[in-house]
Amino acid sequence: MQRSTKLVHNCALTDAATRASSPAIQRGSTFDQRPGGGPSPYAYSRVSNPTRAVLEQTLCELEEGRHGFAFASGMAAIAAVFQLFEPGDHVVLPHDLYGGTFQLCESLAAQGRLAISYADTSSLADVEQAIRPQTRALYVETPSNPCLRIADLKALAALGRERGLITIADNTFMSPYLQRPLSLGFDLVIHSATKFLGGHSDVLAGAAITQREDLADRLHQVQIMYGGILSPDDSWLVLRGIKTLGIRMDREQQNAMQLAEFLARRPDVSQVYYPGLSTHPGHVLHMEQADGPGAVLSIELSPAVRVQDVVAHLQLAIFAVSLGGVETIVSHPATMSHGRVPAEIRQRMGVSDQLLRISTGIEAIEDLMADFEGALTAASSRG
Ligand SMILES: *Cc1c(COP(=O)(O)O)cnc(C)c1O
């Protein structure tokens, strides 16, 4: 079965009990357990819920995992994963880590609950150098946010296995439609399902998926104990989103490619970061490990152009945090997602004040190009 077919015909295609075309939203918090009532796999919805279970099973199928856990947000999933570590454990993180995960890890480190160091995960040598005797895990995001650097998933998985480390990939930017880190040897995949999986900027959700029984047992315990589970209604919304993930991603990616090529020709744009461009340093590696370049690109505006002027003249694209929706979203990482990252660290990450991140939606490309052309021209004529 092709991947786009699998997205539609996932295990949520029909409701097991009624054969309805969509799974039931089971809001029951508890399940009758009196003797003689027949066995139910469910007892209490924090532990396990039928609607959430359909989503968790679907995510397993898509990511080629065996155990999936759905959480109330991407950060709830990430926080649950970091509960797998003990004080004294050391984790190697990408130096251009997602802003929220950066804050979480810095806070855990400040409380003495985790030792961390940052590495350029697009360089195997840099990652190797950061490994210590106490290192327990290797964490990556590829393409990274917001500069779209590419990490070699196969090589990092091999390194992790050799050193006995848990390898963790935040696969939010690609979605399982385009990239499957577990199949490349990673131990754990994390998602902010708020982005491409949900796809409509109308639900917050997160997930963690693994093939390893030991990690699954501990993650399920964390999910039960900390209780950051995804609600049945929101599980259903993510399931609905997943059905159109393929067709959305195809269109969004096509728009991203055309917009990247268009913006690369503009004199008011000094740099375009997009793994689909052959000029991108990670282009070849990315296209080997993923089925497409995705729908997120970043641009560096020329020094003469003011970010505020460009943003003020955009008519179609919304100016907001987040990505992966059907509408084009433009964000300013330096003041938004990475606003709480200290300036010198932002510099190291490559997040300059002139950087704009674009998540292309499904609009007609002519309208998108006209929107950016209009905004850039208006902003340039001002300077
Ligand atoms: C948005 C995002 C998160 C956090 O997810 P939420 O659903 O906002 O909690 C984590 N990682 C990446 C790469 C993200 O883009």
Side-chain angles (χ1 to χ4, degrees), residues 148-380:
L148 292 304
R149 292 190 186 89
I150 307 302
D152 186 336
L153 289 171
K154 247 188 205 160
L156 290 169
L159 176 65
R161 251 194 320 277
E162 185 189 302
R163 305 290 184 91
L165 312 178
I166 302 171
T167 42
I168 307 167
D170 180 332
N171 202 28
T172 300
F173 270 42
M174 285 284 101
S175 88
Y177 180 59
L178 295 180
Q179 180 171 272
R180 292 156 301 280
L182 298 182
S183 72
L184 298 171
F186 265 65
D187 294 311
L188 249 173
V189 163
I190 293 173
H191 275 286
S192 167
T194 310
K195 315 295 168 57
F196 289 100
L197 289 168
H200 296 74
S201 307
D202 57 8
V203 60
L204 269 118
I209 302 117
T210 183
Q211 297 176 337
R212 279 178 52 173
E213 302 287 331
D214 58 334
L215 296 180
D217 287 347
R218 288 164 59 205
L219 266 176
H220 195 209
Q221 285 310 308
V222 171
Q223 193 188 32
I224 294 169
M225 288 190 299
Y226 290 81
I229 46 134
L230 190 63
S231 75
D233 293 74
D234 289 346
S235 298
W236 186 90
L237 275 173
V238 176
L239 280 165
R240 148 101 85 116
I242 286 171
K243 294 196 183 203
T244 55
L245 173 61
I247 192 168
R248 280 188 282 111
M249 193 56 114
D250 287 347
R251 172 63 168 254
E252 289 164 2
Q253 179 167 262
Q254 195 185 329
N255 281 351
M257 188 71 206
Q258 290 194 51
L259 194 62
E261 285 170 340
F262 167 75
L263 292 170
R265 289 194 298 268
R266 295 277 317 184
D268 31 24
V269 173
S270 58
Q271 188 69 251
V272 177
Y273 304 97
Y274 183 58
L277 295 177
S278 57
T279 49
H280 186 286
H283 172 70
V284 173
L285 171 62
H286 179 80
M287 296 311 282
E288 269 168 21
Q289 65 188 13
D291 296 331
V296 182
L297 62 141
S298 289
I299 58 171
E300 185 85 33
L301 296 172
S302 309
V305 185
R306 286 166 32 137
V307 166
Q308 307 91 290
D309 292 338
V310 174
V311 166
H313 287 95
L314 283 170
Q315 318 244 312
L316 258 187
I318 65 170
F319 183 55
V321 294
S322 203
L323 54 108
V326 288
E327 61 290 284
T328 295
I329 302 175
V330 172
S331 73
H332 185 231
T335 54
M336 291 175 158
S337 55
H338 294 67
R340 301 181 81 161
V341 175
E344 73 274 13
I345 298 176
R346 263 206 321 267
Q347 216 82 63
R348 195 176 66 202
M349 291 176 167
V351 181
S352 85
D353 292 344
Q354 290 293 92
L355 191 81
L356 284 178
R357 189 187 69 195
I358 305 164
S359 166
T360 47
I362 62 171
E363 300 95 337
I365 188 61
E366 296 81 359
D367 293 331
L368 274 184
M369 293 207 291
D371 198 21
F372 280 90
E373 170 146 53
L376 285 168
T377 304
S380 299

Side-chain angles (χ1 to χ4, degrees), residues 95-117:
H95 65 33
D96 45 1
L97 186 60
Y98 171 74
T101 314
F102 172 81
Q103 260 187 277
L104 170 73
C105 291
E106 285 287 319
S107 149
L108 290 173
Q111 296 170 58
R113 290 163 62 189
L114 188 71
I116 54 172
S117 40

